[in-house]
Amino acid sequence: MSNAAAEKIILGKTLAIDADGNLVNMADWNEEIAGELAKEEGIAELNGQHWQVINFMRKVYSETGDSSSIRKLTKESGVDTKTLYALFPKGPAKKAARIAGLPKPKGCI
Amino acid sequence: MKDLVILGAGTAGTMMLNKLYKLLDKNEWKITIVDNEKNHYYQPGFLFIPFGVYTKKDVVKPKKQFFPGEHEMIESEIFKVLPEFNKVHLNNGIILDYDILIIATGSRTAPEETEGLKDKLWYKDIFDFYTLEGALALAEKFKKWNGGKLVVNITEMPIKCPVAPLEFAFLADAFFEDKRIREKVQITYVTPLAEAFTKHKCSEVLGHFLDDKGIELEAEFNIARIDNENKKLISWDEREIDFDLLVTVPVNKGADYIEASGLGDELNFVPTDKHTLQSLQHKNIFVIGDASNIPASKAGSVAHFASEILTENILSYINAMPLAAKFDGHANCFIESGHGRAFLIDFNYDVEPLPGKFPLAHLGPFSLLKESRTNHIGKLMFKWTYWNLLLKGKELPVGSAMSLDGKILDNQQIKEQFITDTQQIQKLSGGI
Ligand SMILES: Cc1cc2nc3c(=O)[nH]c(=O)nc-3n(C[C@H](O)[C@H](O)[C@H](O)COP(=O)(O)OP(=O)(O)OC[C@H]3O[C@@H](n4cnc5c(N)ncnc54)[C@H](O)[C@@H]3O)c2cc1C
């Protein structure tokens, strides 16, 4: 779990965020907050396929403690690569992790 | 007699062999090392080959030269590990039993993963420099190339030595300047990341170097395919980038046997405890170097720092003691910036790269996070250090835990120092 770097008010709640702007506490997350985070990422509304990816990421995180890489998403989420980039433009793994209330995937070192 | 088996005799495997050979009781432990290559490649040297600074003989030496005593290696491809039975099957038919297994088979480039990469233009107008063949082919190409659109690209993260592609772009800028054709060469740096450096701190302090050198940045570009007919990179979101010459770092993956053995993640890297370096699945398997999935840079310097920790933990494991030594993710990388200058960055899991001086006995001090000639000399000296000290598991003039001595923590100071420095640099110049 990453360290808190700042606070942010979403839907009237004050939430701790890390240096990448991702939520620090998984418990702070809910579906409404996901909707707000999605808007910040330029996604007006989350549809069923978005949720398929978000739920997949949360499941993997609860099992492994890691946010999925793009490769894990393309291999295992059930959504193909082309669609992933259409759903979460430019950075599917990074954006989906943020919307799912998880830390940034660690592939970027 | 007990068996300790090391898979891979590259940077990390060779260091572990040298360290454990000295420490384990020879009447109790037999150490076996396996690799399918006779020769050791000094991979950091591949960066300099396209620019004619190093040739093949600088970067290749027989592996045997770096083994302790008369220690032999089994030369074979590894086929599969059977962790439930503590056995390794080799392609040559040999089956090895182990009490302790060290996985050190690194990471390889996999151009076949990207549509259109290893196709008609491969080693004609598309090159990699992460393999010796690629670097040598590119050196030949550069001798004849008269300019055009040069695209330097990372296909997907993670890659080993994540700063090497950027160094390549900096060196290319200087190289074409020296050749007096820089104005005919358009350099574009294309990365899946949101900024040029993988560490945000570096982008903050060093990001303007791209502008200064006239290198264009295309960020968040994820290649879907390469159009060989029209010479274009095409991203998953249908953006296109034209190239005349493409220098790419293909997808990096762990060895195939890792997948066959059920030991890897989606890129065949082995899930590993980032502090103890023990496999998360099997207590008698340890992982070091590029083969693991720890969130540290895949770099020789990291493997070096990790080797000290792993040695201690293997001894603890043998003595049924808790694995008390903890790796902090320490990385220490020189970044070539062209014209005989370089930066040095130093960071770990928790501390971002900081500017300052790196206190190094005899050689330093090296300037952290800023360009200097001493740093460049340091980078070139790394070759000597690598062949003569590092591989043999000898003490380097740097310890494994990162030290905050000599680092500047104040931001205002960083900026001022940086500005004076850049002004100085503009006045100075020298060849590679
Ligand atoms: C262009 C470039 C520049 C770099 N620059 C730097 C730098 O400046 N500083 C730095 O610190 N690091 C740098 N690195 C990274 C550094 O080279 C690696 O991180 C380091 O070599 C990792 O060591 P390793 O032992 O994990 O893997 P390797 O040294 O790659 O060794 C892996 C070994 O496993 C063997 N192997 C793999 N699969 C099998 C199999 N199936 N059967 C049998 N044997 C197998 C291989 O033959 C190889 O000998 C650079 C790398 C590149 C490519």
Side-chain angles (χ1 to χ4, degrees):
Chain A
M1 190 97 283
S2 36
N3 299 322
E7 284 180 340
K8 185 179 181 122
I9 299 172
I10 305 177
L11 297 173
K13 278 212 264 177
T14 306
L15 309 175
I17 56 169
D18 65 18
D20 303 308
N22 294 30
L23 294 190
V24 172
N25 304 310
M26 262 182 111
D28 284 345
W29 183 88
N30 61 37
E31 297 191 356
E32 286 74 50
I33 286 180
E36 293 303 306
L37 292 169
K39 279 182 204 149
E40 290 178 14
E41 295 292 344
I43 300 165
E45 198 159 343
L46 294 172
N47 65 27
Q49 275 189 311
H50 285 115
W51 280 109
Q52 186 178 341
V53 178
I54 294 167
N55 290 334
F56 173 81
M57 281 204 112
R58 287 183 62 86
K59 176 169 161 282
V60 171
Y61 190 85
S62 68
E63 289 162 6
T64 65
D66 285 333
S67 292
S68 307
S69 66
I70 177 65
R71 186 144 293 247
K72 193 164 179 82
L73 290 182
T74 59
K75 265 189 157 174
E76 297 171 23
S77 71
V79 179
D80 68 72
T81 316
K82 183 99 196 155
T83 313
L84 281 166
Y85 281 93
L87 291 169
F88 304 95
K90 293 197 168 172
K94 200 173 101 191
K95 286 195 175 169
R98 184 152 183 271
I99 297 168
L102 307 173
K104 187 167 109 179
K106 67 188 181 191
C108 327
I109 293 132
Chain B
M1 200 68 174
K2 290 188 174 164
D3 288 292
L4 185 144
V5 174
I6 303 176
L7 302 180
T11 314
T14 307
M15 284 190 299
M16 287 313 296
L17 173 65
N18 279 301
K19 285 181 183 285
L20 293 171
Y21 183 83
K22 261 191 256 153
L23 294 167
L24 297 188
D25 182 347
K26 291 180 185 47
N27 299 315
E28 235 182 287
W29 284 92
K30 179 170 176 243
I31 308 180
T32 306
I33 193 161
V34 187
D35 200 297
N36 61 337
E37 289 268 357
K38 258 196 182 52
N39 285 320
H40 191 108
Y41 299 95
Y42 173 62
Q43 299 172 50
F46 295 174
L47 171 68
F48 295 102
I49 289 180
F51 307 105
V53 180
Y54 287 167
T55 60
K56 188 172 172 178
K57 72 171 186 349
D58 290 301
V59 300
V60 187
K61 289 186 198 288
K63 283 199 152 100
K64 240 168 85 170
Q65 225 172 295
F66 306 98
F67 295 158
E70 297 292 297
H71 208 283
E72 295 285 332
M73 171 183 99
I74 300 182
E75 194 185 320
S76 169
E77 174 117 14
I78 298 145
F79 178 67
K80 195 172 181 175
V81 181
L82 303 174
E84 300 77 28
F85 301 98
N86 299 322
K87 284 183 196 300
V88 184
H89 287 238
L90 305 183
N91 274 18
N92 66 4
I94 294 179
I95 300 174
L96 298 169
D97 290 293
Y98 64 84
D99 293 283
I100 295 176
L101 185 70
I102 298 179
I103 295 182
T105 35
S107 135
R108 68 167 179 96
T109 53
E112 68 279 3
E113 291 277 343
T114 304
E115 188 184 329
L117 188 51
K118 212 169 174 177
D119 208 319
K120 276 189 286 195
L121 299 180
W122 186 245
Y123 289 1
K124 294 194 178 68
D125 295 312
I126 301 181
F127 298 83
D128 75 294
F129 65 95
Y130 267 46
T131 59
L132 181 59
E133 310 81 73
L136 290 169
L138 184 53
E140 286 309 308
K141 178 76 182 183
F142 272 170
K143 283 184 193 159
K144 304 174 295 222
W145 200 56
N146 295 318
K149 295 193 176 88
L150 170 65
V151 171
V152 182
N153 157 255
I154 299 176
T155 305
E156 185 176 322
M157 291 302 290
I159 58 169
K160 53 184 155 185
C161 201
V163 290
L166 202 53
E167 295 180 272
F168 185 92
F170 291 157
L171 289 175
D173 164 68
F175 178 75
F176 292 116
E177 240 170 45
D178 291 345
K179 277 187 123 181
R180 314 222 175 277
I181 58 164
R182 181 63 182 91
E183 71 290 352
K184 292 191 202 145
V185 180
Q186 186 188 328
I187 306 179
T188 310
Y189 189 72
V190 180
T191 168
L193 298 169
E195 47 195 11
F197 288 85
T198 50
K199 286 275 165 192
H200 178 63
K201 189 87 221 170
C202 295
S203 284
E204 221 172 72
V205 185
L206 307 174
H208 71 93
F209 265 84
L210 281 109
D211 279 346
D212 297 353
K213 291 175 190 292
I215 298 168
E216 277 174 49
L217 176 66
E218 271 285 337
E220 299 189 307
F221 191 95
N222 292 279
I223 299 181
R225 61 183 194 281
I226 286 157
D227 177 344
N228 281 248
E229 303 307 324
N230 302 304
K231 298 180 106 181
K232 282 178 195 300
L233 303 179
I234 300 168
S235 70
W236 289 105
D237 50 9
E238 299 294 340
R239 282 183 286 158
E240 298 186 351
I241 296 173
D242 293 322
F243 67 86
D244 294 307
L245 183 54
L246 171 64
V247 177
T248 187
V249 180
V251 171
N252 277 216
K253 285 173 83 176
D256 293 334
Y257 81 88
I258 303 265
E259 185 174 15
S261 314
L263 286 170
D265 66 9
E266 62 280 5
L267 283 167
N268 303 345
F269 295 124
V270 185
T272 305
D273 184 300
K274 69 176 187 174
H275 294 301
T276 63
L277 308 173
Q278 189 176 39
S279 141
L280 292 177
Q281 276 178 297
H282 304 280
K283 291 214 169 336
N284 62 342
I285 300 184
F286 294 83
V287 194
I288 184 164
D290 298 350
S292 89
N293 82 333
I294 61 170
S297 284
K298 295 192 184 301
S301 68
V302 174
H304 162 73
F305 297 129
S307 73
E308 295 175 9
I309 304 296
L310 183 57
T311 305
E312 271 189 57
N313 280 342
I314 297 237
L315 294 180
S316 300
Y317 180 83
I318 288 173
N319 295 315
M321 304 277 284
L323 307 182
K326 304 275 184 254
F327 186 49
D328 67 355
H330 189 185
N332 180 274
C333 309
F334 289 106
I335 306 178
E336 279 294 304
S337 52
H339 295 305
R341 306 186 71 80
F343 317 104
L344 177 63
I345 58 172
D346 193 60
F347 56 94
N348 69 16
Y349 292 141
D350 302 316
V351 181
E352 286 271 307
L354 293 169
K357 293 275 183 202
F358 190 72
L360 206 57
H362 312 305
L363 310 175
F366 295 107
S367 306
L368 292 171
L369 252 191
K370 60 175 198 168
E371 219 187 14
S372 82
R373 181 147 189 99
T374 333
N375 286 341
H376 166 70
I377 310 278
K379 174 108 183 179
L380 295 183
M381 275 178 57
F382 187 57
K383 176 160 77 98
W384 183 91
T385 312
Y386 183 92
W387 290 127
N388 294 286
L389 302 176
L390 187 130
L391 281 182
K392 293 181 180 161
K394 291 193 182 145
E395 285 282 313
L396 292 200
V398 226
S400 78
M402 181 177 165
S403 121
L404 280 174
D405 299 353
K407 281 183 196 153
I408 302 166
L409 289 149
D410 174 44
N411 237 328
Q412 191 49 40
Q413 241 177 311
I414 297 171
K415 283 187 192 128
E416 280 167 15
Q417 190 188 17
F418 197 69
I419 293 163
T420 17
D421 242 57
T422 331
Q423 285 162 349
Q424 262 180 351
I425 289 157
Q426 281 160 356
K427 287 187 210 136
L428 291 164
S429 79
I432 290 172

